[in-house]
Amino acid sequence: MMHIDIITVLPELLDSPLNHSILKRAKEKGLVEINVHDLRDYSLDQRHRRVDDYPYGGAAGMVMQIEPIDRAISALKEKRNYDEVIYTSPDGEMFNQPMANSLSMAQNLIILCGHYKGIDYRIREHLITKEISIGDYVLTGGELAAAVICDSVVRLIPGAIGDEQSALSDSFQDNLLAPPVYTRPAEYKGWRVPDILLSGHQRKIEEWQHEQSVERTKRLRPDLYKD
Ligand code: ADE
């Protein structure tokens, strides 16, 4: 079973995304265990449960302190060996499908969610093994990024999705966007499903779907398209 440990100052923010749909089912099937740890439990100052402090050099904003984070990571490492200690941050490596594929093969992962103006840089230098950004925009904290990473990784664990083919035929798995899909009725308000899909001619349908994938990728994501 895969273990994912998430360290955060806002555990509640992760409740809903981690407990529905595929993530919920994967947990119930015993494919993954995701534990959310409140960083404040590791604060040196248990009265105020403080985990941030002013930055050296007098810049604006607060910085997450080194001790609570080191204590939280050390406590986890006493129980397991981790493949990666991930930090979510807008200046990390851009997350994509190949990274999700590779993380889905891990046994144990820690995800540390950033907040405020970031974390004491010594944590990144000495404890973090992978820094991930989910896109070129700034979130209030790393929790939503951690939820995105968990969702995309866990659905790739064999057995997580009912239809095994389904994860493999996703957009991006072969660097092509998925073809359009339709369901009944075949005509609605005069808008028709392409005739080819109703033809029952399986080989031609697959050819059409591939052509659509190539056309959509060239038009919408030329950066992904390779001849
Ligand atoms: N924290 C804040 N913004 C983020 C982003 N774009 N990706 C990952 N973590 C973040």
Side-chain angles (χ1 to χ4, degrees):
M1 187 196 316
M2 182 189 280
H3 288 268
I4 305 177
D5 288 291
I6 304 178
I7 303 171
T8 169
V9 288
L10 282 173
E12 311 81 40
L13 206 47
L14 288 159
D15 284 347
S16 176
L18 297 182
N19 290 305
H20 290 96
S21 181
I22 287 176
L23 284 173
K24 181 180 176 195
R25 243 189 305 143
K27 285 194 210 173
E28 286 167 357
K29 287 186 188 169
L31 299 173
V32 65
E33 184 175 270
I34 305 178
N35 291 308
V36 178
H37 307 273
D38 188 342
L39 183 63
R40 296 183 196 283
D41 292 344
Y42 297 90
S43 168
L44 289 178
D45 165 15
Q46 273 307 312
R47 211 156 71 86
H48 303 99
R49 293 168 61 79
R50 184 165 175 185
V51 292
D52 62 346
D53 204 345
Y54 295 97
Y56 279 121
M62 302 298 275
V63 175
M64 285 166 76
Q65 297 169 299
I66 193 165
E67 297 98 330
I69 293 174
D70 184 37
R71 283 161 45 135
I73 292 176
S74 298
L76 292 172
K77 282 184 173 171
E78 268 173 33
K79 291 197 224 130
R80 290 198 175 85
N81 288 317
Y82 286 91
D83 299 276
E84 301 283 1
V85 182
I86 297 166
Y87 172 57
T88 54
S89 169
D91 57 2
E93 184 184 350
M94 193 73 78
F95 194 56
N96 59 17
Q97 195 63 36
M99 285 161 80
N101 290 344
S102 133
L103 290 176
S104 76
M105 285 179 262
Q107 266 307 304
N108 302 314
L109 297 171
I110 291 177
I111 306 178
L112 170 66
C113 303
H115 251 272
Y116 314 113
K117 277 287 161 196
I119 57 177
D120 188 306
Y121 205 77
R122 287 167 291 187
I123 297 157
R124 299 174 68 168
E125 290 169 322
H126 299 288
L127 298 174
I128 298 298
T129 62
K130 203 178 217 17
E131 302 186 330
I132 296 180
S133 163
I134 62 161
D136 279 340
Y137 40 81
V138 179
L139 302 167
T140 307
E143 286 74 16
L144 296 178
V148 165
I149 294 166
C150 285
D151 187 291
S152 63
V153 167
V154 170
R155 65 195 297 286
L156 293 169
I157 300 173
I161 303 191
D163 175 2
E164 289 287 333
Q165 268 317 103
S166 172
L168 293 175
S169 61
D170 286 340
S171 280
F172 297 110
Q173 265 320 0
D174 47 10
N175 266 319
L176 288 176
L177 302 183
V181 292
Y182 303 85
T183 187
R184 290 183 290 181
E187 182 166 343
Y188 179 73
K189 291 186 176 173
W191 305 329
R192 288 185 48 76
V193 170
D195 284 333
I196 180 78
L197 292 177
L198 311 176
S199 70
H201 198 308
Q202 202 51 39
R203 190 177 52 78
K204 286 202 172 148
I205 290 175
E206 282 166 22
E207 268 172 29
W208 178 85
Q209 287 171 328
H210 184 70
E211 282 163 20
Q212 290 287 314
S213 284
V214 169
E215 188 278 322
R216 282 170 46 73
T217 311
K218 283 183 176 170
R219 177 163 51 89
L220 301 170
R221 293 296 305 274
D223 56 307
L224 286 180
Y225 190 74
K226 299 184 194 81
D227 272 312

